[in-house]
């Protein structure tokens, strides 16, 4: 055991040309994610017709996605560009905290969005009373507070252990890789730290699945083809986002990583840390008619005014 002040991130490659390629690819992904989520926030904010509970959750989801990808990618880009592996102890703690904070917040927001769609389709007459703006703001507040609580719990549990090495087999500070550096060599520590978060994720996933089973059952009963199409158009983007988020995150945290090649571990982590934040705006804008209408209305008016 030693009192370290820095960690070493292995990164994807030691070859300079590949490091520049990684920087360029990460920069493209980061820029696309930031611009896409900012576009969602601007469209919903400027369009009065989108000031509804579902889009209130969508704004919060976009903010969480921006924070999520900003917690890890800029440092990885900096290391690739400057040909270094070093990350300070405080930066590593901050990465773990904010990654857990925004990830758990994302999970709760997606759960509340599923509940919103459940009430809207299965109990439309009660929707205005149940999903009023006050209740939605409270739900969003619960999501952010839960994210802070879980982040503090996971970060404190992870960095309370003594480390016997400072070499992290990852391009950012990730809890499963940090726990492997523990001097105790006790897998029960890793299980205890991840078990709480896994239980929360599992309960949220079960709730989302239950909600969508009820939604699909009610959608199939809608006699109007137009009504069924509208219900599908509002539900499918959210279901795709949930599946992408939970599947990639579960693959990274729940699958055993010992004996798995380093490059494969990094690819899995890149999937859950970069793919959902980048794809969420695209999925919602392409699959959601109201977002597409707002997008066309805003940029169509700007283009018309310019000409």
């Amino acid at each position: 055991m030693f009192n370290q002040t820095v960690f070493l991130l292995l990164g994807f490659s030691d070859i300079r040309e590949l490091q520049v390629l990684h920087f360029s690819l990460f920069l493209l992904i980061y820029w696309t994610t930031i611009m896409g989520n900012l576009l969602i926030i601007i469209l919903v904010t400027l369009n009065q017709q989108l000031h509804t509970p579902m889009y209130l959750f969508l704004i919060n989801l976009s903010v969480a996605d921006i924070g999520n990808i900003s917690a890890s990618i800029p440092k990885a880009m900096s290391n690739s560009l400057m040909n270094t592996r070093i990350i300070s102890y405080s930066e590593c703690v901050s990465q773990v905290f904010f990654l857990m904070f925004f990830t758990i917040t994302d999970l709760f927001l997606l759960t509340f969005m599923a509940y919103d769609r459940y009430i809207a389709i299965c109990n439309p007459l009660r929707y205005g009373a149940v999903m009023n703006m006050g209740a939605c703001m409270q739900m969003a507040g619960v999501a952010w507070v839960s994210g802070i609580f879980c982040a503090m719990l996971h970060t404190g549990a992870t960095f309370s252990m003594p480390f016997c090495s400072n070499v992290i087999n990852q391009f950012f500070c990730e809890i499963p890789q940090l726990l492997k550096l523990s001097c105790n060599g006790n897998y029960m520590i890793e299980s205890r730290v991840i078990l709480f978060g896994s239980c929360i994720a599992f309960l949220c996933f079960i709730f989302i699945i239950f909600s969508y089973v009820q939604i699909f059952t009610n959608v199939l009963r809608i006699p109007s083809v137009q009504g069924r199409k509208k219900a599908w158009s509002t539900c499918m983007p959210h279901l795709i986002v949930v599946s992408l988020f939970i599947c990639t995150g579960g693959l990274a945290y729940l699958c055993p990583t010992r004996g798995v090649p380093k490059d494969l571990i990094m690819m899995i982590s890149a999937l859950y840390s970069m793919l959902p934040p980048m794809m969420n705006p695209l999925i919602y804008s392409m699959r959601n008619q109201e977002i597409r209408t707002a997008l066309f209305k805003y940029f169509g008016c700007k283009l018309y005014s310019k000409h």
Side-chain angles (χ1 to χ4, degrees), residues 1-10 85-89 92 162-170 172-173 177-178 180-183:
M1 185 180 69
F2 54 92
N3 185 18
Q4 62 217 24
T5 58
V6 297
F7 287 98
L8 297 179
L9 303 172
L10 290 187
R85 299 178 177 182
I86 295 176
I87 181 172
S88 68
Y89 187 89
C92 191
F163 296 116
C164 286
S165 173
N166 66 342
V167 180
I168 302 174
N169 188 24
Q170 191 53 271
F172 65 95
C173 289
Q177 298 303 321
L178 283 168
K180 291 180 182 179
L181 307 182
S182 170
C183 293

Side-chain angles (χ1 to χ4, degrees), residues 7 18 26 84 95 98 111 139 170 233 251 281:
F7 287 98
L18 290 179
F26 280 12
T84 181
Q95 273 197 351
F98 285 110
T111 305
M139 291 180 185
Q170 191 53 271
S233 68
L251 191 65

Side-chain angles (χ1 to χ4, degrees), residues 95-97 99-100 150-151 153-159 161 163 168 170 172-181 189-190 193-194 253 272:
Q95 273 197 351
V96 170
F97 176 83
L99 281 170
M100 290 304 303
C150 292
L153 180 66
H154 281 267
T155 306
T158 301
F159 288 95
M161 299 182 302
F163 296 116
I168 302 174
Q170 191 53 271
F172 65 95
C173 289
E174 186 183 44
I175 289 179
Q177 298 303 321
L178 283 168
L179 293 176
K180 291 180 182 179
L181 307 182
I189 297 176
E190 182 174 353
V193 172
I194 297 179
Y253 275 82
Y272 90 86

Side-chain angles (χ1 to χ4, degrees), residues 222-238:
I222 298 176
S224 169
V225 176
Q226 188 69 21
R228 285 200 300 270
K229 184 178 179 181
K230 183 177 180 181
W232 282 113
S233 68
T234 58
C235 290
M236 286 307 296
H238 180 252

Side-chain angles (χ1 to χ4, degrees), residues 32-46 50 59 62 66 281 285 291 294-295 298-299:
T32 303
T33 302
I34 296 297
M35 296 305 297
N37 283 285
L38 282 177
L39 181 61
I40 293 290
I41 294 172
I42 293 171
L43 286 176
V44 175
T45 302
L46 296 180
L50 298 182
I59 286 180
S62 294
I66 291 174
S285 61
I291 290 291
L295 185 64
Y298 181 73
F299 285 99

